[in-house]
């Protein structure tokens, strides 16, 4: 990477998103995970801001502000509210922490191998960073699969969305404001649905383990 | 004008279905039946017009089916099948007016039955792949629903429906792949364009398309080894439906094979047709053997449908084989014989199924072992059954004789050929045809002799009463046609020749001698059924007169099957099972009868038998060796697969992740 301020800032922000994703896989404390994902939202906002400033596009800068507000503040706040209380740790994940980290490494390699084509197609600095977005989305998916607490499912969903949004911003030099709003609202809705599911789980089974739902299988 | 009639036929058919669904109960049945008969009549007039003038009925519209549009072209070949369906439809619908029971009067059934008849009239007119598959599926689904109307009361119906559903969907899938293969490789889905371009396709595409299409159409026609649904579904369907299925729907399987093989693909290598002949010979022998040993009347008729479809396939195969080796005239004769058999089979099998349903309604049973003496109790229905049965056994002056004679002639005249394929295939075909003919005669002797003659073997048979007039009329229409076509085949032969020519596009002179005779131009052999009938009449009169003159005292009359005994009771009579027993013994390796003898002895001495029960059942060899293992295997596979989705959300999410990674790696 060359030393221009645009490139180094963008790389830093994108790198922060990925570091946050790996940290979520690693951590088990619910409160820290929410904080990490909030930081990921802020880093994503920074990515959009950098691209916006670089292109001199006021619409994109406005989008950056919205992303920052929704993903850095609003959603973590909602998560905090639903996840706060007695349950503070993921005590028995389906895949233990060392194995999760190995899996994360594998997923990141897969993401880089898989998105070679896209990266080559986009070219320049942004293209080189596209695999990081794909890796973030895959790690989000992995969190969905590997953790038992519904709060982690919300976090994973949020990470998938962050990864996809980052790929979109990097590839197309700015997603129209309206589309970004639509996608963010979708994820918000998903989080709300999961929150309701978590509440119902707690009241039905007295626990927050998603695998309790297996009892519903015929 | 014919194009308008095509639209009119479809509209009347659809409106009769709507009437069946919505009209008040009191008039529902009569109104929808009347409209369905009108649709059949309109279809028949249209088909006759097309056959007569040779101008196709054409309807194109893009408003009905998305993307491809609805495209219908009824040429002479299709018109022949429309005419057959229309005649059977009229007979079955008149019969239906008097037919009660087995759930046909429900709202669903009165809505679906006209729709089924309409699809039978429209399928031969379809002129592109989408239209054809749409109508074909509609026909399959409506017939399936009609088989199932009585499922609440009898569990066999549900099982028959399952077999039928699986087999028809399997066939439809094969058809879909075969036809789509042709459409993609020729770049057009219209039948005319496929026919124009198909000769330039790679051999692999043509071969696989033909085999797939034979499988698809063969499953609908009841071809062995895809026949297993037929002896289940046809007997369980209500009377008029079973007649429509056996006499009209199976024809469309033959229609499809000829349309694609000869029409769209323009003929093919010898092995295609040897395959068809082999399947035909197998179907004919297997079907006739099972119908000769079956004692359930409708099951017997269903197996004989497989047998007759086998004969048709034998003819189609022979025709294709002749064409592929350059014997164009013989090819046309064989195809004409096949199509004549399609027409005649429809007529006699329709009358047989309708009269068998009447017998069932009169006696309350389908089991031949519980019938007997019915010719005296239900004379007209019994006579109709006898006429249809004799036509099926190819007795002279009835229609089956003409078509089977012509088929035999065509195959025999291929014998001097120097071509090795023909020299091997034809003698086998002739042998299969001869053995089938003999077994069919045996079947009819059994069905008519046991069912109609002798003493009643159950109270139901003893108290049988003649069925209603419209049921008798519906069956009588078709039985009369058996006699008319048998005596005067020239009524249909020219149309059939035109139809055969239109599909093969062969430019050769009329191979058949017309007039009162039916014969083959250029080779020896002619048949004059009218003169034959006259000779038969004279001979019968002479013999009867001579006997009366030579033997003045009347002979002593006793019961049939009584061997001249005076104190004959029903339990001493031959039954259908015992009549077929020697045959079962001869073909034990194929039929594998299962006997179950249960003897209980008296308590005082084991030398005295208190009661004995004997139960025998025949298995379908294909069902036992192919279908049952396959279904058990599928069941196991299903049970294994059911363990994978265990209800864990994490597992489902993992499926998603793995799928995503696979897609990324493959695409990326």
């Amino acid at each position: 990477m060359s030393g221009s301020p645009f490139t180094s800032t963008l790389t830093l922000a994108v790198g922060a998103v990925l570091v946050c994703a790996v940290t979520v896989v690693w951590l088990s404390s619910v409160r820290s995970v929410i904080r990490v994902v909030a930081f990921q939202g802020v880093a994503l906002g920074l990515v959009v801001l950098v691209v916006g400033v670089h292109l001199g596009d006021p619409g994109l800068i406005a989008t950056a502000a919205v992303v920052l507000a929704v993903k850095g503040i609003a959603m973590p706040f909602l998560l905090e509210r639903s996840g706060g209380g007695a349950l503070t740790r993921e005590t028995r994940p389906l895949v233990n922490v060392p194995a999760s980290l190995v899996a994360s490494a594998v997923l990141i390699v897969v993401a880089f191998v898989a998105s070679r084509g896209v990266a080559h197609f986009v070219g320049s600095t942004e293209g080189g960073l596209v695999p990081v977005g794909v890796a973030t989305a895959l790690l989000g998916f992995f969190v969905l699969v590997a953790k038992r607490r519904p709060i982690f499912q919300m976090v994973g969903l949020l990470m998938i969305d962050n990864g996809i949004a980052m790929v979109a911003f990097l590839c197309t030099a700015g997603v129209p404001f309206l589309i970004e709003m639509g996608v963010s609202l979708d994820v918000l809705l998903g989080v709300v649905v999961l929150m309701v599911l978590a509440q119902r789980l707690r009241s039905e089974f007295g626990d927050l383990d998603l695998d309790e739902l297996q009892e519903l299988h015929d | 004008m014919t194009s308008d009639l095509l639209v009119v036929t479809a509209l009347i058919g659809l409106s009769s279905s709507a009437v069946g669904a919505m009209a008040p109960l009191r008039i529902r049945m009569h109104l929808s039946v009347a409209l369905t008969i009108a649709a059949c009549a309109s279809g028949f007039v249209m088909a006759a017009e097309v056959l007569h003038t040779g101008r196709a009925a054409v309807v194109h519209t893009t408003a009905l089916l998305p993307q491809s549009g609805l495209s219908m072209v009824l040429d002479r070949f299709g018109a022949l099948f429309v005419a057959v369906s229309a005649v059977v439809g009229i007979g079955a619908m008149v019969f239906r007016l008097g037919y009660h029971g087995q759930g046909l009067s429900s709202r669903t059934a009165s809505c679906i039955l006209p729709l089924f008849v309409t699809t039978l009239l429209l399928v031969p007119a379809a002129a592109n792949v989408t239209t054809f598959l749409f109508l074909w599926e509609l026909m399959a689904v409506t017939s399936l629903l009609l088989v199932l109307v009585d499922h609440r009361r009898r569990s066999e119906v549900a099982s028959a429906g399952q077999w039928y559903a699986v087999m028809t969907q399997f066939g439809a899938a094969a058809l879909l792949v075969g036809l789509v293969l042709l459409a993609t490789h020729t770049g057009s889905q219209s039948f005319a364009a496929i026919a124009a371009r198909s000769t330039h396709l790679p051999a692999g595409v043509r071969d696989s398309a033909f085999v797939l299409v034979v499988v698809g159409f063969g499953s609908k026609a009841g071809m062995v080894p895809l026949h297993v649904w037929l002896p289940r579904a046809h007997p369980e369907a209500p009377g008029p439906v079973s007649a429509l299925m056996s006499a009209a729907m199976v024809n469309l399987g033959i229609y499809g094979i000829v349309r694609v093989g000869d029409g769209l693909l323009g003929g093919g290598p010898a092995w295609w047709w040897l395959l068809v002949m082999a399947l035909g010979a197998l179907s004919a022998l297997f079907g006739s053997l099972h119908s000769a040993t079956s004692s359930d009347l409708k099951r017997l008729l269903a197996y004989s449908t497989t047998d007759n479809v086998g004969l048709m396939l034998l003819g189609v195969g022979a025709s294709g084989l002749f064409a592929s080796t350059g014997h164009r005239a013989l090819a046309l004769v064989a195809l004409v014989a096949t199509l004549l058999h399609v027409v005649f089979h429809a007529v006699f099998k329709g009358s047989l199924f309708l009269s068998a349903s009447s017998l069932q309604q009169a006696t309350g049973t389908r089991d031949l072992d519980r019938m007997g003496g019915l010719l005296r109790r239900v004379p007209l229905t019994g006579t109709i059954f006898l006429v249809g049965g004799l036509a099926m056994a190819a007795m002279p002056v009835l229609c089956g004789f003409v078509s089977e004679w012509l088929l035999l002639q065509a195959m025999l005249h291929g014998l001097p050929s120097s071509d090795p394929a023909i020299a091997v295939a034809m003698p086998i075909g002739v042998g299969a045809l001869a053995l089938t003919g003999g077994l069919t005669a045996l079947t009819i002797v059994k069905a008519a002799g046991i069912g109609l003659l002798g003493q009643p073997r159950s109270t139901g048979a003893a108290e049988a009463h003649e069925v209603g007039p419209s049921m008798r009329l519906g069956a009588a229409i078709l039985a009369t046609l058996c006699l008319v076509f048998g005596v005067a085949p020239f009524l249909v032969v020219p149309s059939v020749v035109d139809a055969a020519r239109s599909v093969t596009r062969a430019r050769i002179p009329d191979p058949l001698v017309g007039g009162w005779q039916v014969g083959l131009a250029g080779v020896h052999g002619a048949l004059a059924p009218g003169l034959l009938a006259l000779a038969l009449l004279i001979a019968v009169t002479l013999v009867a007169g001579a006997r009366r003159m030579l033997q003045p005292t009347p002979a002593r009359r006793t019961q049939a099957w009584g061997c001249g005994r005076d104190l004959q009771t029903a339990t001493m009579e031959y039954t259908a099972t015992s009549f077929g027993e020697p045959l079962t013994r001869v073909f034990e390796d194929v039929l594998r009868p299962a006997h179950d003898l249960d003897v209980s002895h008296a308590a005082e001495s084991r030398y005295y038998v208190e009661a004995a029960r004997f139960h025998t059942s025949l298995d379908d060899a294909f069902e036992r060796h192919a279908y049952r293992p396959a279904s058990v295997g599928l069941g196991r596979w299903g049970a294994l697969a059911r363990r994978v989705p265990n209800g864990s959300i994490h597992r489902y999410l993992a499926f998603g992740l793995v799928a995503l990674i696979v897609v990324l790696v493959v695409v990326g």
Side-chain angles (χ1 to χ4, degrees):
Chain A
M1 301 284 162
S2 68
S4 87
F6 163 66
T7 314
S8 40
T9 325
L10 189 63
T11 313
L12 184 68
V14 168
V17 170
L18 186 60
V19 169
C20 289
V22 178
T23 316
V24 168
V25 174
W26 173 51
L27 288 178
S28 57
S29 153
V30 169
R31 192 149 298 153
S32 334
V33 160
I34 294 174
R35 238 169 262 156
V36 170
V37 104
F39 186 68
Q40 190 179 44
V42 173
L44 180 65
L46 196 60
V47 170
V48 183
L49 185 68
V50 171
V51 175
V53 169
H54 181 65
L55 294 174
D57 180 353
L60 208 52
I61 295 173
T63 310
V66 171
V67 168
L68 212 70
V70 172
K71 295 191 169 160
I73 300 166
M75 292 220 205
F77 176 67
L78 273 175
L79 288 177
E80 190 95 39
R81 279 193 52 185
S82 75
L87 294 149
T88 52
R89 295 187 74 79
E90 170 70 68
T91 44
R92 38 186 196 107
L94 287 171
V95 184
N96 64 25
V97 173
S100 298
L101 288 176
V102 174
S104 307
V106 172
L107 286 177
I108 292 171
V109 172
V110 167
F112 271 84
V113 172
S115 45
R116 262 176 324 179
V118 183
H120 182 72
F121 184 69
V122 174
S124 73
T125 316
E126 292 97 319
L129 297 173
V130 162
V132 181
V134 177
T136 308
L138 285 181
L139 288 177
F141 220 134
F142 181 72
V143 169
L144 280 184
V145 175
K147 310 276 180 171
R148 283 180 197 271
R149 303 284 168 205
I151 189 88
F152 275 91
Q153 263 69 38
M154 300 181 213
V155 169
L157 196 66
L158 217 55
M159 279 165 64
I160 294 177
D161 181 58
N162 287 347
I164 294 171
M166 195 159 82
V167 171
F169 283 116
L170 291 172
C171 284
T172 62
V175 183
F177 181 71
L178 203 63
I179 295 182
E180 175 52 32
M181 279 304 292
V183 174
S184 294
L185 280 178
D186 254 10
V187 175
L188 201 61
L189 193 68
V191 169
V192 170
V193 169
L194 275 171
M195 275 170 63
V196 173
L197 177 68
Q199 304 272 339
R200 300 283 305 169
L201 262 180
R202 204 180 335 208
S203 63
E204 288 289 324
F205 299 100
D207 193 9
L208 268 184
D209 189 343
L210 271 184
D211 272 352
E212 301 280 354
L213 285 180
Q214 211 164 333
E215 281 182 20
L216 301 178
H217 190 63
D218 59 345
Chain B
M1 185 226 162
T2 50
S3 310
D4 299 338
L5 270 175
L6 188 56
V7 178
V8 167
T9 306
L11 287 182
I12 300 178
L14 291 178
S15 63
S16 67
S17 169
V19 164
M22 289 183 285
L25 180 65
R26 211 156 34 82
I27 55 167
R28 185 202 291 160
M29 194 267 275
H30 289 97
L31 201 56
S32 85
V33 166
L35 279 171
T36 312
I37 290 176
C40 287
S42 142
F44 184 79
V45 171
M46 164 185 70
E49 179 80 10
V50 169
L51 279 170
H52 182 63
T53 60
R55 278 197 299 278
V58 183
V59 174
H60 291 291
T61 168
T62 49
L64 286 179
L65 282 179
Q67 301 279 331
S68 66
L70 186 86
S71 169
M72 309 194 87
V73 177
L74 187 68
D75 60 359
R76 275 178 159 164
F77 180 63
L80 183 71
F81 287 84
V82 174
V84 170
S85 296
V87 169
V88 177
I90 290 173
M93 282 298 130
V94 171
F95 181 87
R96 195 253 166 280
L97 276 178
Y99 184 81
H100 297 294
Q102 288 202 317
L104 256 194
S105 44
S106 76
R107 190 180 289 275
T108 318
S110 18
C111 168
I112 298 291
L113 183 58
L115 203 58
F116 176 49
V117 176
T118 312
T119 55
L120 287 175
L121 295 172
L122 294 182
V123 164
N128 73 16
V129 173
T130 312
T131 310
F132 183 83
L133 289 175
F134 173 72
L135 289 171
W136 187 263
E137 271 304 284
L138 197 59
M139 177 177 84
V141 170
T142 48
S143 57
L144 174 61
L145 288 176
L146 289 171
V147 168
L148 283 173
V149 288
D150 202 27
H151 74 99
R152 284 217 186 85
R153 277 192 291 141
R154 291 180 300 137
S155 59
E156 310 92 84
V157 176
S159 150
Q162 278 174 356
W163 277 93
Y164 181 37
V166 170
M167 293 310 292
T168 191
Q169 285 313 305
F170 170 73
L175 270 187
L176 177 72
V177 176
L179 290 178
V180 167
L181 202 61
L182 285 179
T184 43
H185 280 271
T186 52
S188 166
Q189 62 151 321
S190 116
F191 281 177
I194 294 177
R197 295 174 206 162
S198 65
T199 39
H200 309 299
L201 290 181
V205 173
R206 287 167 56 85
D207 292 349
S208 36
F210 182 75
V211 171
L212 282 168
V213 160
V214 167
V215 168
F217 286 124
S219 78
K220 183 62 79 184
M223 172 184 85
V224 173
L226 304 171
H227 66 287
V228 280
W229 63 274
L230 198 144
R232 292 164 184 274
H234 286 203
E236 299 304 342
V241 178
S242 60
L244 283 168
M245 287 174 80
S246 235
M249 192 173 75
V250 295
N251 296 344
L252 296 179
I254 303 296
Y255 165 82
I257 291 176
V258 176
R259 171 68 85 194
V260 174
D262 286 331
L264 298 191
L265 293 168
W271 72 263
W272 287 12
W273 305 110
L274 286 171
L275 174 75
V276 173
M277 276 188 84
L279 290 171
L282 190 65
S283 305
L285 290 176
F286 192 80
S288 57
L289 199 54
H290 265 281
S291 79
T293 49
S294 176
S295 58
D296 176 335
L297 188 56
K298 287 183 91 177
R299 196 173 163 85
L300 175 152
L301 292 177
Y303 267 118
S304 93
T305 300
T306 289
D307 149 20
N308 281 288
V309 163
L311 296 185
M312 296 172 204
L313 287 174
L314 208 55
V316 171
S319 159
L321 190 59
F322 284 135
S324 73
T325 49
H327 301 70
R328 308 294 306 191
L330 275 177
L332 193 57
V333 173
L335 189 57
V336 167
T338 309
L339 294 182
L340 270 179
H341 199 63
V342 167
V343 177
F344 296 161
H345 170 251
V347 175
F348 67 67
K349 191 52 66 66
S351 69
L352 275 172
F353 256 110
L354 291 182
S355 51
S357 299
S358 300
L359 291 180
Q360 186 186 354
Q361 189 159 320
T363 61
T365 178
R366 304 199 310 236
D367 191 353
L368 272 175
D369 289 347
R370 302 178 149 275
M371 291 185 182
L374 291 176
L375 197 58
R376 195 168 297 156
R377 288 174 178 78
V378 284
L380 188 61
T381 303
T383 312
I384 291 169
F385 184 84
L386 200 58
V387 168
L390 290 177
M392 183 167 90
M395 289 297 126
V397 313
L398 290 170
C399 60
F401 176 64
V402 180
S403 56
E404 289 196 24
W405 179 82
L406 203 58
L407 188 58
L408 199 63
Q409 286 294 320
M411 291 209 280
L412 282 175
H413 281 98
L415 285 183
S417 162
S418 56
D419 191 275
I422 292 184
V424 173
M426 289 310 153
I428 297 176
V430 169
L433 184 61
L435 182 53
T436 306
L439 288 172
T440 309
L442 192 69
T443 307
I444 290 308
V445 168
K446 182 185 73 179
I450 302 288
L452 301 180
L453 305 179
Q455 295 182 19
R457 295 176 184 77
S458 67
T459 47
E463 291 161 7
H465 289 292
E466 189 63 274
V467 292
S470 58
M471 286 173 77
R472 276 177 285 173
L473 178 65
I477 292 173
L478 297 176
T480 314
L481 286 177
C482 287
L483 190 61
V484 170
F485 289 157
V487 176
F490 60 85
L491 291 174
V492 285
V493 167
S495 308
V496 171
V497 172
D498 287 338
R501 269 181 176 167
S502 83
V503 70
T504 56
R505 289 169 284 173
R507 296 183 200 293
I508 44 174
D510 197 340
L512 294 176
V513 180
W516 279 92
Q517 284 191 328
V518 176
L520 289 73
V523 283
H524 296 292
L527 174 69
L531 295 179
L532 207 63
L534 196 63
L536 198 68
L537 198 64
I538 294 170
V540 167
T541 321
L542 280 180
V543 169
R547 223 186 69 183
R548 181 148 300 180
M549 272 190 281
L550 293 177
Q551 193 185 39
T553 49
R556 186 172 62 96
R557 284 174 177 275
T558 59
Q559 291 284 345
W561 302 109
C563 303
R565 284 190 295 267
D566 274 331
L567 296 169
Q568 171 81 4
T569 62
T571 48
M572 294 158 77
E573 285 180 312
Y574 257 105
T575 61
T577 309
S578 55
F579 190 84
E581 209 273 339
L583 194 69
T584 314
R585 205 160 273 218
V586 171
F587 289 99
E588 204 167 28
D589 289 341
V590 185
L591 294 170
R592 294 286 174 88
H595 300 302
D596 185 16
L597 184 58
D598 189 11
V599 181
S600 50
H601 298 282
E604 299 82 41
S605 165
R606 49 185 294 275
Y607 295 106
Y608 292 100
V609 173
E610 196 169 45
R613 275 172 49 82
F614 177 71
H615 182 79
T616 179
S617 63
L618 295 177
D619 246 1
D620 192 312
F622 288 94
E623 204 178 306
R624 190 176 56 238
H625 291 303
Y627 286 88
R628 262 179 229 160
S631 108
V632 168
L634 278 176
R636 284 208 191 116
W637 173 249
L640 265 180
R642 265 199 294 283
R643 264 187 243 155
V644 176
N646 65 348
S648 156
I649 289 183
H650 291 97
R651 185 175 285 202
Y652 299 160
L653 287 168
F655 292 154
L657 178 61
V658 170
L660 180 64
I661 290 173
V662 167
V663 168
L664 278 177
V665 169
V666 169
V667 175

